[in-house]
């Protein structure tokens, strides 16, 4: 399968490396420094599994349409990334978002009817250009967006599992996207504000109770919007914390690098949807506001 990974940072590079090592035709599209290192020395994965692979690495989308375009950019970059990629999106190209937050698939649907949603609880860190540490082995869930079953999704699940990415198929991927966003709305801001690993939330009773209350607040909004869950977000919260105890979440990594976070598309979206249906979301608003303040370079 011809696969392009658009936004090959930590998670995108991990997916691309595993798929490349499994024999798929993979092209990574990402930052020039990272792509240059991969072209010169290969892409090195360390941590849970250690190997070096040699996918094609570019800074712009190739003109030939792929079978699968994996979106792994930050959510705030999705509109720009898709606009840059539109000439390479063919009639048979499927777009799969494995991004955090809500709204990415809706952006993709502006460019193609062939859209898959995905979530992943794998944890990865870009240690340096060309080197990605796989710090948490999680589950990936893929399905036709927003609901339904498409044969191409089955093929993606098979390919991912063959590559060593534990992947399941869902016919209600919009529900899973909300589950992931709700869980991220608790874990990511708490970790980012306090500068702690995910496991610390599990260990500290006050933080765990706060996380559960944030999750319940997001659940209230989702259920009022008619979202159905295949797994309750509280259960998914505990599983995620247990499986990624050594992980510094992506929002914290962004704060450390003085980069813009995805909080607008996680807590911010929950606040936005809550306002639209008349539901107050004070915990999400508080966490959203604190992370936005942390994004300010003048605040240490």
């Amino acid at each position: 399968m011809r696969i392009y990974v658009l936004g090959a940072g930590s998670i995108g590079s991990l997916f691309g490396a595993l798929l490349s090592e499994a024999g798929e035709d993979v092209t990574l599209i990402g930052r020039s420094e990272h792509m240059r290192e991969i072209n010169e020395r290969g892409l090195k994965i360390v941590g849970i599994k250690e190997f070096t692979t040699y996918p094609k690495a570019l800074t712009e989308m190739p003109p030939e349409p792929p079978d699968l375009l994996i979106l792994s950019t930050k959510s705030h970059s999705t509109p720009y990334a898709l606009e840059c990629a539109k000439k390479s999106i063919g009639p048979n190209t499927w777009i799969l978002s494995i991004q955090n937050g809500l709204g990415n698939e809706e952006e993709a649907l502006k460019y193609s009817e062939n859209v898959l949603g995905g979530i992943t609880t794998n944890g990865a860190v870009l240690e340096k250009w060309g080197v990605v540490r796989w710090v948490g082995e999680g589950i990936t869930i893929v399905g036709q967006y927003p609901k339904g079953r498409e044969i191409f999704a089955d093929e993606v699940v098979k390919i991912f599992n063959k590559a060593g990415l534990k992947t399941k198929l869902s016919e209600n991927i919009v529900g899973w996207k909300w589950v992931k966003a709700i869980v991220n709305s608790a874990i990511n801001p708490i970790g980012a504000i306090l500068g702690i690993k995910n496991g610390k939330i599990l260990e500290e009773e006050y933080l765990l109770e706060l996380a559960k209350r944030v999750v319940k607040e997001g659940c209230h909004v989702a259920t009022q919007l008619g979202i159905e869950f295949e797994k309750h977000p509280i259960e998914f919260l505990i599983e995620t914390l247990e499986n990624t105890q050594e992980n510094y979440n992506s929002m914290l990594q962004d704060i450390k690098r003085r980069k813009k976070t995805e909080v607008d598309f996680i807590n911010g979206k929950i606040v936005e949807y809550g306002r639209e249906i008349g539901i107050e979301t004070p915990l999400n608003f508080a966490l959203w506001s604190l992370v936005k303040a942390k994004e300010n370079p003048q605040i240490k």
Side-chain angles (χ1 to χ4, degrees):
M1 184 180 287
R2 179 183 287 171
I3 301 170
Y4 296 168
V5 181
L6 182 56
S10 53
I11 283 292
S13 294
L14 174 64
F15 272 63
L18 289 165
L19 290 164
S20 173
E21 188 71 358
E24 302 301 329
D25 181 5
V26 174
T27 300
L28 305 178
I29 301 98
R31 294 184 62 173
S32 58
E33 301 93 336
H34 190 38
M35 300 301 101
R36 186 184 308 116
E37 190 68 21
I38 291 170
N39 283 322
E40 292 178 358
R41 296 181 175 83
L43 175 54
K44 187 175 182 180
I45 301 297
V46 297
I48 289 172
K49 190 175 181 181
E50 302 201 355
F51 62 94
T52 301
T53 190
Y54 300 86
K56 295 182 284 292
L58 305 173
T59 56
E60 296 181 355
M61 286 278 289
E64 302 83 10
D67 301 303
L68 177 64
L69 172 60
I70 300 176
L71 276 178
S72 56
T73 63
K74 296 294 185 182
S75 293
H76 50 75
S77 298
T78 298
Y80 175 75
L82 285 168
E83 186 63 22
C84 291
K86 67 179 181 180
K87 292 182 180 179
S88 301
I89 299 172
N92 298 316
T93 297
W94 281 83
I95 303 173
L96 165 63
S97 166
I98 57 170
Q99 300 156 287
N100 288 329
L102 301 168
N104 294 296
E105 288 80 5
E106 282 75 12
E107 288 294 328
L109 283 167
K110 297 176 183 177
Y111 294 85
S112 174
E113 295 179 353
N114 304 329
V115 174
L116 304 176
I119 68 161
T120 187
T121 59
N122 284 281
V125 177
L126 183 63
E127 288 205 333
K128 59 181 180 179
W129 303 131
V131 181
V132 172
R133 179 170 293 278
W134 191 1
V135 295
E137 186 175 15
I139 187 72
T140 299
I141 302 175
V142 171
Q144 182 180 9
Y145 192 85
K147 291 184 178 182
R149 183 151 191 171
E150 164 56 49
I151 191 169
F152 188 81
D154 291 83
E155 186 64 22
V156 170
V157 170
K158 289 177 185 176
I159 288 171
F160 279 18
N161 278 307
K162 178 187 172 186
L165 287 161
K166 297 177 182 177
T167 306
K168 296 179 181 179
L169 181 74
S170 172
E171 295 184 27
N172 177 30
I173 197 63
V174 69
W176 277 109
K177 294 294 291 193
W178 268 89
V179 169
K180 178 72 184 300
I182 288 169
V183 168
N184 280 349
S185 75
I187 296 175
N188 289 19
I190 293 173
I193 293 163
L194 296 178
I196 57 175
K197 293 180 178 179
N198 291 354
K200 291 296 182 182
I201 300 173
L202 198 62
E203 295 171 9
E204 172 54 60
E205 63 175 313
Y206 292 102
L207 295 181
L208 184 58
E209 179 60 27
L210 173 60
K212 288 179 179 178
R213 293 190 183 200
V214 174
V215 166
K216 289 176 182 177
E217 187 175 89
C219 286
H220 185 40
V221 173
T223 53
Q224 292 302 306
L225 289 169
I227 301 298
E228 298 177 350
F229 303 132
E230 292 183 27
K231 175 173 284 189
H232 196 282
I234 291 289
E235 183 182 351
F236 196 67
L237 169 72
I238 302 302
E239 284 185 8
T240 302
L241 289 172
E242 289 176 343
N243 293 333
T244 62
Q245 293 189 47
E246 294 302 310
N247 190 33
Y248 288 105
N249 74 67
S250 59
M251 193 174 289
L252 173 56
Q253 292 179 47
D254 287 339
I255 290 293
K256 286 183 174 180
R257 297 187 181 112
R258 290 297 175 188
K259 293 171 62 179
K260 187 175 181 179
T261 74
E262 296 178 294
V263 72
D264 292 338
F265 296 88
I266 302 173
N267 302 80
K269 280 290 183 181
I270 292 171
V271 172
E272 177 186 324
Y273 283 120
R275 284 173 177 166
E276 288 178 1
I277 58 177
I279 294 176
E280 293 293 324
T281 51
L283 294 176
N284 273 277
F285 181 81
L287 292 175
W288 180 31
S289 301
L290 288 168
V291 172
K292 293 302 289 182
K294 290 282 284 186
E295 288 180 353
N296 186 340
Q298 295 180 345
I299 297 178
K300 300 294 184 180

